[in-house]
């Protein structure tokens, strides 16, 4: 039995107990950056999508060791630019499309949340998706 325990300690790098998950120092992420070639690779769909999907698609084409584009950064920047406005409804703050946002292709629509609650959701058509991708460097650089 003791031999088996000592074998496990040796296999565990000389430590008693479970091996620490933090065996390597965490790598520092590089600032967000996207090249024109990577931007051209971002999927743009005919079907309107939410901002989280746009951010996910952007993050799929950038380098792994880089900060990721964040949906909240995109939404907040669109508020600053006047494409979205914040309102308070039922004690919750939400963002809705402005007339300027609708002209760009951002629409606030009725939807159902994953737990079945009616909600308002912003969706972005092809033109609005392209606009976000074209401006994502500017968006993310203002948050880093």
């Amino acid at each position: 039995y003791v031999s088996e325990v000592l074998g496990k300690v040796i296999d565990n790098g000389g430590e008693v107990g479970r091996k620490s998950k933090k065996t390597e120092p965490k790598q520092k992420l590089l600032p967000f950056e996207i090249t024109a070639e990577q931007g051209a690779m971002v999927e743009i769909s005919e079907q309107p999508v939410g901002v989280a999907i746009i951010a996910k698609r952007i993050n799929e084409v950038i380098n792994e060791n880089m900060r990721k584009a964040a949906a909240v950064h995109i939404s907040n920047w669109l508020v600053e630019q006047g494409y979205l406005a914040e309102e308070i409804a039922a004690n919750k703050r939400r963002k809705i499309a402005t007339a300027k946002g609708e002209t760009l292709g951002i629409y606030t629509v009725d939807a159902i949340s994953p737990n079945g609650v009616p909600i308002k959701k912003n969706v972005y058509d092809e033109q609005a998706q392209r606009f976000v991708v074209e401006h994502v460097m500017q968006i993310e650089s203002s948050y880093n």
Side-chain angles (χ1 to χ4, degrees), residues 79-91:
V79 169
E80 291 170 13
Q81 303 304 311
Y83 295 100
L84 295 175
E86 288 187 339
E87 72 173 18
I88 297 176
N91 290 330

Side-chain angles (χ1 to χ4, degrees), residues 23-38:
T23 53
E24 296 177 24
K26 197 169 186 180
Q27 185 178 354
K28 188 163 170 58
L29 295 176
L30 298 171
F32 178 87
E33 187 175 353
I34 188 168
T35 64
E37 294 80 21
Q38 289 169 324

Side-chain angles (χ1 to χ4, degrees), residues 65-114:
N65 60 343
M66 190 172 290
R67 289 185 183 273
K68 304 298 180 210
V72 68
H73 294 170
I74 295 168
S75 294
N76 289 342
W77 185 83
L78 290 167
V79 169
E80 291 170 13
Q81 303 304 311
Y83 295 100
L84 295 175
E86 288 187 339
E87 72 173 18
I88 297 176
N91 290 330
K92 292 193 177 193
R93 194 171 16 177
R94 65 181 180 198
K95 294 173 176 67
I96 58 166
T98 62
K100 182 178 178 182
E102 288 179 357
T103 302
L104 179 65
I106 304 171
Y107 303 99
T108 302
V109 298
D110 292 319
I112 303 293
S113 74

